[in-house]
Amino acid sequence: MKIGFVSLGCSKNLIDTEITIGMFKQNNYKIVNNPEEADIIAINTCGFIDQAKEEAINTILEMANYKKEKCKYLIVMGCLVQRYYNELIKLLPEVDLFIKLEDYDKIWNMIEDLVKRDIATKTKNKTSKKISEIKPLPMFSYEQYINRTITTGKNYAYLKIGEGCSNKCTYCAIPYIRGPFVSRKMEDIINEAKMLAKKGIKEIIVIAQDTTKYGIDIYGEPKLAKLLQEISKIKEIKWIHFLYSYPEGITDELIETVASNKKISKYFDIPIQHISDNVLKRMNRKTSKKQITELLEKIRSKIPDVTLRTSLIVGFPGETEEEFEELKQFIKTAKFDKLGTFMYSKEEGTPAEKLPNQIHGNTKKSRYNQIMKEQKGISEEIQKSKIGKEYEVLIEDKSFDGKYLIGRTMQDVPEIDGLVYIKNEKNQDLVNQFVKCKIIETNEYDLIGQLGTGTV
């Protein structure tokens, strides 16, 4: 039988999809990209904010149309199912099997029941757990991680080091969807990284809901720095990124590791969410304006060429004009290299849902636009400062006419940050190679360069 996959949401979700693809391949299913060819369509959903939920529902309905043709079974899994299991069963009778996160340890048995014995209706008699009853969810096994199918191309892959989140920020539903943070064993992660290296992967992107919490639950202390050092010992791995590092978890050891290890990108992804102490407190964040400011100063003093990325939430309940202005002024002075902004989304079951003084949608949109306008100017200024400098670039593609090679520097995370367009005057085929590149032009987010002395 042929199966097609649709993976929605974050890179952590993508790894779950890759593991599931690996299960089907091991059981001799053929993976197809065209839903018109699929006997089975599986959708891995996101249920984090309203926009993601809407996208998931629309995708399910779109894929359900193929059941009128070749498709026999429609499977839906992921965060949306974990969060709205009972509601989805009533809303979407077109779906043959819903798989919650808490059932991932028996996912293949459920699929076999559907395909071989066609008794998936048994799964529809379960009841969802209440938020207060959520416990650590089962993780995929080591063997399932090792056998996952990489879908991100030849050069890079994500490496998930833990599941869930224990931070309990008042706006976030992740702890209630995926349970508290649980680390994977370091030896399992290292072995998976070695497996990726053997497949030709050159760049590892370490992810978890909060990577700085890695190791605390099983080793009694944070072990992210140690883990990054161990990954860097794998000869074939050339670049290492780590994302989602909460400010309170960034230790001196981690900063020193990033500063001294040539394989680890000088890049910190630090979601601060806000800078007003009052807002941070209502969000149940674990840092203050003073601590955040001092952390950024420390990182920049230890790593002068560091790239700093952050994410913000505007329009959080009770956010006053003064608190928003404080955030805007901070953005002007902090000058983050890269910045993403979200408008607060009111999520069922979270403490922030019940907070007074919810902000009107038009106000949230206005504040979002103001922040992004400020960041646009900052980004353009930072980009222009790169003109004349030389960077190592990983070439991943080329333009249709072959006139440009397209790649990334070590300071650009795929699917998140900008690209480098290198003039290819000699029409060279350098895809999947590292080259030297001198920057000659810039725009708001991307760089334009010319080839340096050759491949690295």
Side-chain angles (χ1 to χ4, degrees), residues 403-422:
K403 292 182 178 179
Y404 286 91
L405 300 167
I406 304 171
R408 293 179 289 109
T409 74
M410 196 180 191
Q411 301 305 98
D412 295 299
V413 175
E415 305 296 331
I416 298 176
D417 299 326
L419 298 170
V420 183
Y421 293 85
I422 303 174

Side-chain angles (χ1 to χ4, degrees), residues 68-92:
K68 301 172 184 176
E69 303 168 8
K70 180 178 173 63
C71 179
K72 298 185 177 90
Y73 304 110
L74 182 60
I75 299 172
V76 180
M77 55 192 287
C79 291
L80 189 77
V81 179
Q82 181 69 23
R83 193 172 182 189
Y84 299 108
Y85 183 81
N86 290 335
E87 294 90 336
L88 290 174
I89 289 172
K90 298 174 184 176
L91 178 67
L92 298 168

Side-chain angles (χ1 to χ4, degrees), residues 252-425:
D252 289 345
E253 180 190 15
L254 181 59
I255 296 172
E256 177 57 34
T257 297
V258 175
S260 61
N261 194 307
K262 292 182 179 180
K263 284 191 175 184
I264 301 173
S265 174
K266 309 299 182 277
Y267 184 113
F268 279 85
D269 173 30
I270 311 172
I272 66 170
Q273 308 304 6
H274 215 280
I275 202 60
S276 163
D277 286 337
N278 290 332
V279 177
L280 290 170
K281 186 175 181 180
R282 293 199 297 275
M283 288 180 167
N284 193 35
R285 300 289 290 183
K286 309 302 188 296
T287 46
S288 65
K289 180 177 183 178
K290 182 175 184 292
Q291 290 169 322
I292 292 170
T293 303
E294 290 178 350
L295 174 65
L296 299 182
E297 291 173 352
K298 180 189 290 187
I299 292 174
R300 281 174 165 153
S301 68
K302 299 286 186 181
I303 315 173
D305 58 343
V306 71
T307 295
L308 294 179
R309 179 182 182 86
T310 195
S311 58
L312 308 172
I313 295 175
V314 295
F316 189 76
E319 182 189 55
T320 64
E321 280 293 339
E322 292 75 18
E323 290 164 347
F324 172 70
E325 284 299 321
E326 184 180 2
L327 176 62
K328 194 162 72 169
Q329 288 303 314
F330 179 76
I331 296 309
K332 290 180 181 180
T333 57
K335 294 187 182 300
F336 287 96
D337 299 86
K338 305 166 192 291
L339 181 148
T341 307
F342 297 88
M343 291 180 284
Y344 168 72
S345 175
K346 187 177 180 181
E347 296 300 311
E348 302 95 325
T350 61
E353 178 193 20
K354 299 178 181 178
L355 287 177
N357 302 315
Q358 298 280 331
I359 305 298
H360 191 278
N362 291 340
T363 302
K364 288 191 281 189
K365 183 65 175 177
S366 171
R367 292 176 180 178
Y368 169 87
N369 289 336
Q370 290 179 62
I371 292 293
M372 295 313 294
K373 181 180 179 181
E374 292 293 345
Q375 183 60 28
K376 180 180 179 182
I378 293 168
S379 178
E380 289 174 344
E381 178 185 333
I382 291 172
Q383 291 288 84
K384 287 178 181 178
S385 72
K386 298 177 181 178
I387 293 177
K389 295 182 179 179
E390 192 171 71
Y391 293 91
E392 184 181 39
V393 175
L394 173 57
I395 304 300
E396 296 182 302
D397 203 352
K398 59 183 179 179
S399 59
F400 289 116
D401 57 10
K403 292 182 178 179
Y404 286 91
L405 300 167
I406 304 171
R408 293 179 289 109
T409 74
M410 196 180 191
Q411 301 305 98
D412 295 299
V413 175
E415 305 296 331
I416 298 176
D417 299 326
L419 298 170
V420 183
Y421 293 85
I422 303 174
K423 293 183 178 181
N424 190 21
E425 296 169 351

Side-chain angles (χ1 to χ4, degrees), residues 106-144:
K106 47 184 177 289
I107 187 171
W108 192 252
N109 291 335
M110 297 175 71
I111 291 168
E112 283 188 323
D113 282 347
L114 171 66
V115 178
K116 294 184 177 180
R117 294 184 288 277
D118 205 17
I119 55 171
T121 50
K122 288 185 179 181
T123 66
K124 297 187 178 182
N125 296 323
K126 296 182 180 180
T127 57
S128 290
K129 294 183 179 181
K130 296 179 181 178
I131 282 178
S132 60
E133 296 172 342
I134 290 293
K135 296 178 180 179
L137 298 176
M139 288 196 288
F140 284 116
S141 68
Y142 166 71
E143 290 77 15
Q144 290 167 330

Side-chain angles (χ1 to χ4, degrees), residues 41-53:
I41 297 175
I43 305 167
N44 194 0
T45 61
C46 177
F48 183 40
I49 57 177
D50 287 341
Q51 187 177 358
K53 289 182 280 189

Side-chain angles (χ1 to χ4, degrees), residues 131-327:
I131 282 178
S132 60
E133 296 172 342
I134 290 293
K135 296 178 180 179
L137 298 176
M139 288 196 288
F140 284 116
S141 68
Y142 166 71
E143 290 77 15
Q144 290 167 330
Y145 272 103
I146 286 293
N147 291 315
R148 70 183 172 109
T149 298
I150 307 305
T151 62
T152 48
K154 296 180 179 180
N155 294 317
Y156 75 91
Y158 295 104
L159 186 63
K160 185 157 59 172
I161 62 175
E163 281 285 3
C165 184
S166 300
N167 292 328
K168 293 190 176 178
C169 303
T170 58
Y171 52 82
C172 184
I174 294 298
Y176 312 123
I177 298 173
R178 288 190 171 264
F181 188 87
V182 179
S183 301
R184 294 177 62 198
K185 292 179 181 178
M186 188 176 296
E187 55 266 34
D188 288 355
I189 298 170
I190 298 302
N191 285 336
E192 185 182 353
K194 290 178 179 177
M195 175 274 292
L196 295 170
K198 287 180 180 178
K199 289 186 176 183
I201 295 297
K202 306 175 184 71
E203 178 181 8
I204 293 290
I205 305 173
V206 173
I207 56 172
Q209 201 63 39
D210 178 359
T211 52
T212 60
K213 294 292 189 296
Y214 175 72
I216 294 175
D217 55 321
I218 56 177
Y219 301 117
E221 59 183 359
K223 288 289 186 180
L224 177 60
K226 173 68 173 175
L227 177 65
L228 295 175
Q229 290 168 350
E230 292 300 315
I231 295 173
S232 74
K233 294 176 183 177
I234 302 172
K235 182 180 179 181
E236 298 87 348
I237 300 300
K238 191 170 177 65
W239 288 355
I240 302 168
H241 287 90
F242 63 99
L243 303 181
Y244 317 118
S245 50
Y246 280 48
E248 67 272 17
I250 297 176
T251 62
D252 289 345
E253 180 190 15
L254 181 59
I255 296 172
E256 177 57 34
T257 297
V258 175
S260 61
N261 194 307
K262 292 182 179 180
K263 284 191 175 184
I264 301 173
S265 174
K266 309 299 182 277
Y267 184 113
F268 279 85
D269 173 30
I270 311 172
I272 66 170
Q273 308 304 6
H274 215 280
I275 202 60
S276 163
D277 286 337
N278 290 332
V279 177
L280 290 170
K281 186 175 181 180
R282 293 199 297 275
M283 288 180 167
N284 193 35
R285 300 289 290 183
K286 309 302 188 296
T287 46
S288 65
K289 180 177 183 178
K290 182 175 184 292
Q291 290 169 322
I292 292 170
T293 303
E294 290 178 350
L295 174 65
L296 299 182
E297 291 173 352
K298 180 189 290 187
I299 292 174
R300 281 174 165 153
S301 68
K302 299 286 186 181
I303 315 173
D305 58 343
V306 71
T307 295
L308 294 179
R309 179 182 182 86
T310 195
S311 58
L312 308 172
I313 295 175
V314 295
F316 189 76
E319 182 189 55
T320 64
E321 280 293 339
E322 292 75 18
E323 290 164 347
F324 172 70
E325 284 299 321
E326 184 180 2
L327 176 62

